[in-house]
Amino acid sequence: MLPKAYDPKLVEEKLAKIWQEKQVFKSKNDGGKNPYVIVIPPPNITGALHMGHGLNDTLQDVLIRYHRMKGFDANWVPGLDHGGIATQNVVEKTLAKEKKLTRHDLGREEFVNTVWQWYKDCGSAIYTQFEKMGWALDQSNIRFTMDEERAAAVYECFKRLWDKKYIYRGKRLINWCVRCTTALSDIEVEHEQRSGKLWHLRYKGADGGADIIIATTRPETIFADSAVAVNPHDEKYKNLVGKKVLIPLTQKAIPVIADEAVELGFGTGALKITPAHDAVDYEVGARHGLEIISVITDKGRMINVPAKYEGMDREVAKKQVVKDLEEAGLLVKEEKYDNAVSTCYRCGSAIEPFLSEQWFVKMDNLAAPAIKAVESGAVQMHPENWKTPLLNWLKNIQDWCISRQIWWGHRIPVWYCRQCSGTGLTFAADKQGRTQLVKVSFEDGAKPILSQTQPACPHCGGKDTVQDPDVLDTWFSSGLWPFSVFGWPKETPDLKHYYPTNMLVTGYEIIYLWVARMIMMGIEFMGKPPFPHVFLNGIVRDKTGKKMSKSLGNVVDPLDLIKKYGADATRFSLLIQAVPGKDIPYGEDSVVGARNFCNKIYNAARFIQMNAEGVEGKLALPAQNTELCDIWILSRYNKAVAAAAKAIEGYDMAAAANTLYHFLWGDFCDWYIELAKPRFTTQDKKRVAAILVNVLYGTLKALHPFMPFITEEIAAGFRKFTNESAEFLLRQSYPASDAKFINEAAEAQMALLQGIITQIRTVRAQFNVPPGAKIKVLFSTSDAREQAVINKYFAYITALAKADNLVCGMDLTRPAQSATAVFANTAIYIPLEGLIDFAKESARLAKELSIVETGIANRTRMLGNENFVKNAPAGQVAKAKEELSQMQLKASQIKEAIAGLK
RNA sequence: GGGCUGGUAGCUCAACUGGUCAGAGCGUCCGCCUUACACGCGGAAGGUUGUAGGUUCAAGUCCUAUCCGGCCCACCA
């Protein structure tokens, strides 16, 4: 005898191993089957997987397993992302915590080695999680964005873009994170409303001219001011344009200029122009040929400022400058002001607009065909409402800053010669006398060397070449993922067979960072978009709807859930809430519910097994069935399976999971199994067992993509009754719905019986009839068909409503001392001598009556409205008529019952 | 400033192209250890579908306005 409760621990670990050993997840590129391909959004190696991965990858797993069972060569390509800045930050933090070292203590080479070691540890932890979650990922086939093949792809991509002159180096004002000390691309910057202050400062007129008051949120940058700008149409300042004013604290004279960028009416109408530290100012400065003065270093410290402030942190300097301005009487006003602060998406520090030399990719030519692909529907977003934002982004695309001043990542494959100037490099000695790369310029025909490994200089033959110190944006390599995973640029058989992929499943928060880049790169290098469909999943939030974050302490760890409830329950709890595109508020109660469902499946199987064991041989589904509940369950089953498949194909996993959940728990367990119980002692035994086994087995297959472990485990025990030869469900076929089993008439008959049974149960509960007591019931109907059904299936009512001595006839009289219920056209009389509470019964009936009367009134009004009769579809009118007559009958029966009470 | 999105039972969410009495899970209440399952069984209570108008024979579903959330994009100091 099996234990009463399902214990996932006993099966999950075992099956996860067997699946890998027997290579159940391996795809076979042998031309036999159509491919169905999904490349995994490679998780960053920044730590353990979280619930977001749990959802995202489980959705992919459902699609992969479903298509595998549908006969496709389903290939879910596993892999990891090196994660650039994010990973470097994590490793640096660990290093600081564990060894009190910085990356500079280790030096670049040693640090990079440390990260590789980290990758090994963190990576293998992630692989273990893949297995524990039951994801059908072939572990022998893992890719990593930094492995050799992917590095080759990155190099090839860089080279081709360089050759097309899409990649260039330029001095620009870029987004700089002073904590990570690196440049970021525009989309790596987040905007956050922070409460701050707006200071009004007095800039005195030079040579006795008028003063100007400007408003700024960044007083510490006044030392970098090159001008004060006003709107050209601003009457107030018209006479001042061309004059000079003095920067407070330094008395440096700067011109007053007119520029449209200044908005009339905002603040004081005058804007200090600081080209080196503000994007707008940079443009204004360019238009007016202003001097660019940097006063903040890459670490966020003050430089080129009066000695007093030199070396101060920018935030400290801000306070000091305000204080000094106040003392100098030049601070006119200080007001509260909320403004959007740009922050680093990796560490949250305030971004500093920073003038520096960086590598860029020119994007407009890459975006154009991607726009076309999205507009034409060659790439479709699900849900569709993301199409517009994606298009808007592509249409307003900015050049992509791809260089990062960090150590972990693909090094920019550009080399310079230290022996000649042919590669565009200028060197100088720094304070310590080390030779530093100071300036790269490809003007004057200088050409750098593109190479993955150290080359000799093609210009002078010198061997003293040095590689560009920067690394590429981590998204540069992930943009190539859908084809780099198949070995591109090599023309491998896999590349041919599996590209383009069928589907991308990812979160909407990385549409621009990743999805858009893949589309552009795929078209550029492969000639085709990498996938026709993008399925966007929501974010898993905590149960109050907040984003899960370590700082809030509301993070749920999938591994904990697995330990407590099993992987199937963890998966199912996510899937049943996975409405396309919607965020999921996640609480532990949902996984408890899913765990209970697992137990329900297990126990249903246990029960069926107990009763099927005695039966010899196979249990084929009977071709002909005459018993109502058999016909009914087969009809329900075939409908459920069809609905589940349809929902999966529409990416509505919540609908699919719900359908199967309710079919199995409701129809199958609550009704069919209960009706089956008494039949085990009759001639019907083998037939019932056969239907139970087959419907259960089919349902297990239908559920397998959702809960792979428990379904595999149970199905394995039942396979001997079936004709299945394949050992694993993944190698068996997804159940097909067979229309010949769908029987609306049987479902209607069964619905009548279910309704009647429920009515009787309600009455029993209402009047506290002892659960064991059998009660007599009379059915009085005016409908011959209903009479026939009830008469024929007395047994169902006896069994499920604990009734006895049933009598069914046309228009019977209501016995005294009985409770009355009405279902369809049948009145149900339950004699309850001594048990009945007349007041209670009267109240119950009155309530019932009022509901029915509302229904009657509605339908009478509808049918009395000639526009309804004229305009509504004939079916609707007939339905209303039918309902009206039934309700009228019901009302009269209830009235009669009320009148007869006593 | 532009765009997207949501406001449905105590909670979390469903409801296909407008058409039964708006559903489920959890929670609550009542009764049950009925020989698969108390991680269970049976039953009940609970909703003017944010608000105000409109279109329609018919609206949670379409339109307008409005209030309250959430998100994304954008160079207003």
Side-chain angles (χ1 to χ4, degrees):
Chain A
M1 187 78 178
L2 293 162
K4 280 170 96 170
Y6 174 65
D7 184 357
K9 275 188 217 76
L10 301 177
V11 314
E12 293 186 352
E13 212 165 304
K14 171 189 78 181
L15 284 175
K17 275 217 177 68
I18 294 175
W19 286 336
Q20 290 297 336
E21 275 167 25
K22 299 273 180 99
Q23 307 200 321
V24 180
F25 304 147
K26 259 214 155 19
S27 57
K28 276 203 196 83
N29 174 11
D30 58 7
K33 289 174 175 176
N34 287 328
Y36 181 87
V37 192
I38 298 177
V39 289
I40 197 172
N44 279 348
I45 48 162
T46 44
L49 301 185
H50 51 66
M51 291 306 284
H53 296 110
L55 171 65
N56 175 251
D57 291 308
T58 302
L59 290 170
Q60 294 170 67
D61 192 49
V62 171
L63 288 168
I64 284 292
R65 286 180 184 266
Y66 172 78
H67 283 92
R68 181 67 71 92
M69 294 174 81
K70 277 282 188 183
F72 288 85
D73 172 28
N75 183 6
W76 187 15
V77 184
L80 298 176
D81 196 302
H82 66 279
I85 303 167
T87 303
Q88 171 157 330
N89 285 352
V90 170
V91 175
E92 283 191 77
K93 245 180 232 166
T94 314
L95 212 52
K97 201 171 150 195
E98 289 175 1
K99 297 187 179 156
K100 303 234 182 309
L101 292 174
T102 69
R103 69 182 151 118
H104 300 283
D105 295 330
L106 296 187
R108 182 162 187 159
E109 197 175 329
E110 188 53 34
F111 178 74
V112 168
N113 285 339
T114 308
V115 187
W116 273 105
Q117 186 52 50
W118 167 270
Y119 155 67
K120 276 180 196 133
D121 300 342
C122 181
S124 68
I126 292 174
Y127 301 153
T128 308
Q129 274 184 299
F130 284 174
E131 271 191 25
K132 290 198 176 205
M133 287 297 293
W135 295 332
L137 290 160
D138 175 9
Q139 300 263 2
S140 65
N141 203 22
I142 299 251
R143 281 91 213 278
F144 179 48
T145 53
M146 287 268 281
D147 64 21
E148 235 173 83
E149 282 197 333
R150 264 44 65 185
V154 165
Y155 175 69
E156 182 70 16
C157 169
F158 190 96
K159 187 169 181 308
R160 290 197 195 180
L161 292 177
W162 171 266
D163 288 343
K164 287 185 92 165
K165 302 209 175 356
Y166 288 180
I167 286 184
Y168 64 92
R169 196 175 156 87
K171 190 171 191 179
R172 296 275 185 86
L173 199 64
I174 45 83
N175 305 294
W176 184 268
C177 176
V178 298
R179 213 237 49 128
C180 304
T181 58
T182 179
L184 296 169
S185 66
D186 296 337
I187 35 178
E188 288 173 302
V189 174
E190 289 179 351
H191 304 276
E192 187 183 318
Q193 281 294 119
R194 282 188 190 171
S195 55
K197 285 187 177 140
L198 186 63
W199 288 276
H200 294 236
L201 314 180
R202 181 179 298 278
Y203 281 47
K204 292 208 156 166
D207 311 320
D211 299 355
I212 285 190
I213 293 165
I214 61 96
T216 182
T217 54
R218 302 208 60 189
E220 74 278 19
T221 64
I222 57 171
F223 311 114
D225 289 353
S226 304
V228 165
V230 297
N231 188 287
H233 308 293
D234 197 332
E235 293 299 325
K236 196 162 56 157
Y237 297 115
K238 210 152 204 178
N239 300 327
L240 292 174
V241 175
K243 301 258 164 57
K244 294 203 163 186
V245 291
L246 302 173
I247 296 177
L249 306 180
T250 65
Q251 309 307 319
K252 180 181 169 186
I254 51 172
V256 177
I257 59 170
D259 195 284
E260 296 282 355
V262 183
E263 193 186 323
L264 273 170
F266 184 91
T268 62
L271 176 62
K272 74 189 202 62
I273 300 299
T274 319
H277 298 292
D278 184 277
V280 177
D281 294 9
Y282 184 75
E283 285 168 23
V284 174
R287 278 198 285 276
H288 297 267
L290 299 175
E291 192 187 356
I292 299 171
I293 308 154
S294 294
V295 296
I296 297 173
T297 68
D298 60 345
K299 302 257 174 34
R301 301 199 167 267
M302 305 306 290
I303 191 171
N304 300 328
V305 290
K308 171 171 192 188
Y309 309 106
E310 190 87 23
M312 266 185 191
D313 180 84
R314 55 187 174 157
E315 291 303 322
V316 177
K318 175 184 278 183
K319 288 195 187 106
Q320 188 61 49
V321 168
V322 169
K323 199 172 159 218
D324 294 345
L325 283 167
E326 195 171 8
E327 278 166 15
L330 296 171
L331 176 64
V332 180
K333 194 161 111 184
E334 177 181 304
E335 58 183 325
K336 276 199 171 167
Y337 185 73
D338 293 347
N339 65 330
V341 177
S342 304
T343 58
C344 170
Y345 83 139
R346 285 309 178 205
C347 75
S349 310
I351 287 296
E352 198 60 52
F354 194 69
L355 191 63
S356 70
E357 289 256 354
Q358 301 290 341
W359 291 91
F360 294 89
V361 181
K362 184 167 130 44
M363 296 304 286
D364 46 1
N365 290 339
L366 292 168
I371 292 167
K372 226 176 261 171
V374 176
E375 277 176 342
S376 71
V379 177
Q380 290 173 33
M381 307 293 277
H382 307 275
E384 216 180 0
N385 46 293
W386 285 103
K387 181 175 171 177
T388 311
L390 174 60
L391 278 172
N392 285 343
W393 188 79
L394 285 168
K395 286 177 180 171
N396 297 305
I397 201 156
Q398 303 291 309
D399 283 359
W400 176 12
C401 174
I402 50 169
S403 42
R404 299 288 176 273
Q405 287 64 47
I406 57 170
W407 290 349
W408 175 242
H410 292 281
R411 192 97 172 242
I412 292 194
V414 168
W415 297 73
Y416 312 104
C417 175
R418 307 168 77 135
Q419 290 163 281
C420 76
S421 59
T423 57
L425 178 62
T426 314
F427 285 98
D430 67 9
K431 283 175 203 158
Q432 281 81 33
R434 293 177 301 208
T435 309
Q436 294 280 7
L437 179 163
V438 292
K439 187 170 162 56
V440 178
S441 168
F442 305 129
E443 285 158 21
D444 310 325
K447 266 194 196 142
I449 316 155
L450 260 58
S451 175
Q452 271 193 281
T453 52
Q454 186 170 24
C457 175
H459 304 285
C460 70
K463 297 228 168 100
D464 190 9
T465 51
V466 59
Q467 187 168 14
D468 195 290
D470 291 354
V471 301
L472 289 163
D473 181 2
T474 188
W475 299 101
F476 193 90
S477 56
S478 21
L480 316 176
W481 190 244
F483 44 96
S484 72
V485 294
F486 299 122
W488 183 88
K490 276 186 256 160
E491 295 204 10
T492 64
D494 276 1
L495 186 62
K496 214 175 219 167
H497 185 59
Y498 293 125
Y499 190 93
T501 69
N502 295 69
M503 159 75 60
L504 177 77
V505 184
T506 190
Y508 55 74
E509 69 276 15
I510 51 175
I511 291 179
Y512 312 130
L513 284 166
W514 193 43
V515 181
R517 264 89 177 253
M518 283 191 287
I519 297 172
M520 291 187 279
M521 295 301 178
I523 297 174
E524 173 69 17
F525 296 112
M526 295 296 297
K528 276 183 221 162
F531 29 71
H533 301 285
V534 179
F535 173 25
L536 297 159
N537 58 255
I539 293 168
V540 183
R541 300 172 173 278
D542 77 359
K543 55 181 170 291
T544 65
K546 284 197 208 65
K547 219 167 177 167
M548 288 187 183
S549 75
K550 272 162 245 154
S551 54
L552 285 174
N554 59 352
V555 175
V556 178
D557 183 350
L559 284 177
D560 289 344
L561 293 180
I562 291 174
K563 211 184 274 170
K564 242 171 131 177
Y565 304 103
D568 286 324
T570 304
R571 295 166 56 115
F572 201 76
S573 66
L574 288 164
L575 290 168
I576 203 158
Q577 298 180 79
V579 176
K582 292 230 171 146
D583 289 353
I584 296 177
Y586 196 84
E588 198 160 316
D589 49 346
S590 72
V591 69
V592 169
R595 186 272 317 264
N596 295 352
F597 182 48
C598 290
N599 196 52
K600 189 74 186 175
I601 300 172
Y602 169 81
N603 272 289
R606 195 162 69 104
F607 171 77
I608 295 168
Q609 195 176 43
M610 271 167 41
N611 289 289
E613 282 303 338
V615 180
E616 301 269 314
K618 307 271 185 210
L619 285 168
L621 194 63
Q624 295 293 320
N625 289 293
T626 52
E627 182 67 35
L628 177 62
C629 65
D630 294 345
I631 299 169
W632 171 79
I633 196 66
L634 290 169
S635 182
R636 301 292 300 164
Y637 165 74
N638 280 279
K639 274 189 182 175
V641 162
K646 193 180 163 201
I648 293 173
E649 290 185 8
Y651 319 124
D652 192 346
M653 303 312 172
N658 259 303
T659 299
L660 295 171
Y661 176 93
H662 286 109
F663 167 73
L664 189 72
W665 201 316
D667 293 338
F668 189 66
C669 290
D670 292 345
W671 292 97
Y672 190 73
I673 288 185
E674 292 307 320
L675 285 172
K677 281 177 180 171
R679 295 168 72 198
F680 282 116
T681 56
T682 70
Q683 294 290 328
D684 264 351
K685 182 174 171 148
K686 189 160 180 177
R687 172 180 292 268
V688 177
I691 293 173
L692 282 167
V693 164
N694 281 280
V695 171
L696 175 71
Y697 200 90
T699 310
L700 291 172
K701 288 206 284 192
L703 276 168
H704 184 248
F706 300 82
M707 348 177 74
F709 293 108
I710 187 170
T711 50
E712 184 87 284
E713 175 71 8
I714 295 172
F718 280 92
R719 198 155 60 89
K720 63 183 175 201
F721 297 120
T722 72
N723 289 314
E724 293 287 355
S725 55
E727 189 184 352
F728 300 102
L729 286 180
L730 213 44
R731 291 179 179 161
Q732 298 171 23
S733 59
Y734 201 77
S737 176
D738 189 339
K740 80 170 184 242
F741 285 110
I742 290 173
N743 188 326
E744 298 298 347
E747 289 200 32
Q749 291 183 14
M750 190 66 191
L752 173 69
L753 294 164
Q754 288 176 309
I756 284 169
I757 289 164
T758 302
Q759 291 292 337
I760 299 171
R761 286 169 170 173
T762 303
V763 169
R764 292 184 68 116
Q766 193 83 37
F767 296 108
N768 301 318
V769 176
K774 296 211 163 171
I775 52 172
K776 181 181 164 93
V777 181
L778 283 82
F779 302 96
S780 170
T781 183
S782 59
D783 187 317
R785 286 167 309 173
E786 289 184 13
Q787 187 190 16
V789 174
I790 295 166
N791 262 317
K792 192 166 174 193
Y793 296 104
F794 271 172
Y796 292 12
I797 300 167
T798 324
L800 299 190
K802 288 253 165 58
D804 210 352
N805 295 317
L806 304 186
V807 178
C808 178
M810 301 294 275
D811 305 313
L812 301 178
T813 359
R814 179 181 161 279
Q817 301 246 347
S818 19
T820 308
V822 181
F823 189 81
N825 293 308
T826 299
I828 304 161
Y829 301 132
I830 305 168
L832 290 174
E833 205 167 339
L835 287 172
I836 196 157
D837 174 335
F838 292 115
K840 216 172 176 182
E841 173 69 350
S842 164
R844 194 178 67 87
L845 290 172
K847 189 175 174 190
E848 190 80 356
L849 182 62
S850 86
I851 293 169
V852 177
E853 278 176 338
T854 310
I856 291 171
N858 287 339
R859 275 157 197 74
T860 310
R861 186 160 33 79
M862 280 161 78
L863 292 164
N865 182 335
E866 60 182 57
N867 282 322
F868 172 70
V869 181
K870 205 166 60 195
N871 297 329
Q876 289 299 326
V877 179
K879 199 176 186 182
K881 277 186 187 159
E882 161 86 28
E883 283 165 359
L884 178 60
S885 74
Q886 199 170 86
M887 284 173 170
Q888 280 166 337
L889 178 70
K890 186 169 181 178
S892 73
Q893 284 165 325
I894 295 172
K895 278 182 195 157
E896 201 184 305
I898 293 173
L901 267 182
K902 251 177 238 175

